[in-house]
């Protein structure tokens, strides 16, 4: 069984939380990658940003469904989710649009677990962490390549 360390990209392209969204889009396009870990000035992982985060900026705002009962308005969706969507759509830097507290895997995580996490959580990019240090990244293309080369 292949492990994360066997399929990961070890030379990780990372981005700063303060990188402008326009520069992020250019970087992802030029490097032909679907996402990147976000690291702070100390090199600590603080999030992950993907093409989906960029696409979210261009989508239409979903107006939450509400019902009126005895002059009270009850929203059927959490206001927090709508607030997050608005912030993401208006974001100008990576920190505004990235996913904080991202899912990660260890170097010895088996391929089937990686695929399961990606599928169940709808993820494109998984940082590989070893003792708190970013050592690689596994993208969808890495999983597909591993499946072809089984």
């Amino acid at each position: 069984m292949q492990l994360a360390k066997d399929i990961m990209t070890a030379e990780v392209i990372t981005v700063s939380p303060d990188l402008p969204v326009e520069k992020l889009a250019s970087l992802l396009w030029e490097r032909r990658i679907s996402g990147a870990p976000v690291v702070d000035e100390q090199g600590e992982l603080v999030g992950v940003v993907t093409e989906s985060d960029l696409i979210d900026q261009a989508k239409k705002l979903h107006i939450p469904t509400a019902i009126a009962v005895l002059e009270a308005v009850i929203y059927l969706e959490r206001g927090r989710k709508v607030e997050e969507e608005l912030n993401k759509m208006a974001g100008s830097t990576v920190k505004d649009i990235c996913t904080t507290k991202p899912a990660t895997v260890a170097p010895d995580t088996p391929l089937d677990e990686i695929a399961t996490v990606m599928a169940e959580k709808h993820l494109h990019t998984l940082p590989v962490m070893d003792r708190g240090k970013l050592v690689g990244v596994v993208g969808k293309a890495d999983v597909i390549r591993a499946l072809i080369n089984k």
Side-chain angles (χ1 to χ4, degrees):
M1 170 64 60
Q2 290 182 310
L3 307 175
K5 64 184 174 187
D6 302 324
I7 66 169
M8 72 182 192
T9 300
E11 292 182 25
V12 182
I13 297 169
T14 62
V15 297
S16 159
D18 296 322
L19 183 71
V21 170
E22 295 82 16
K23 289 188 178 184
L24 170 68
S26 294
L27 175 73
L28 295 182
W29 178 257
E30 290 167 5
R31 297 296 186 110
R32 304 281 191 255
I33 55 176
S34 62
V38 181
V39 296
D40 63 16
E41 293 172 356
Q42 292 76 37
E44 297 291 319
L45 180 69
V46 296
V48 170
V49 66
T50 67
E51 293 170 322
S52 295
D53 296 317
L54 288 171
I55 291 169
D56 282 347
Q57 286 204 301
K59 73 179 183 181
K60 291 182 180 180
L61 177 63
H62 169 75
I63 305 298
T65 306
I67 59 172
V69 178
L70 301 174
E71 297 183 25
V73 176
I74 302 170
Y75 289 97
L76 300 180
E77 295 178 43
R78 298 183 322 221
R80 182 95 172 133
K81 184 175 186 226
V82 174
E83 182 181 344
E84 287 173 4
E85 278 188 51
L86 280 171
N87 289 338
K88 203 171 242 198
M89 290 172 71
S92 61
T93 62
V94 167
K95 70 180 165 216
D96 299 327
I97 68 169
C98 74
T99 300
T100 56
K101 300 177 186 166
T104 63
V105 294
D108 59 350
T109 304
L111 176 62
D112 60 345
E113 282 185 40
I114 294 168
T116 301
V117 169
M118 287 180 144
E120 289 179 354
K121 296 187 178 190
H122 307 287
L123 301 174
H124 303 278
T125 305
L126 276 175
V128 181
M129 304 292 289
D130 191 13
R131 294 182 216 111
K133 182 176 165 77
L134 179 66
V135 295
V137 66
V138 175
K140 281 184 168 182
D142 297 316
V143 173
I144 293 167
R145 192 176 313 108
L147 292 172
I148 291 171
N149 296 326
K150 254 186 167 178

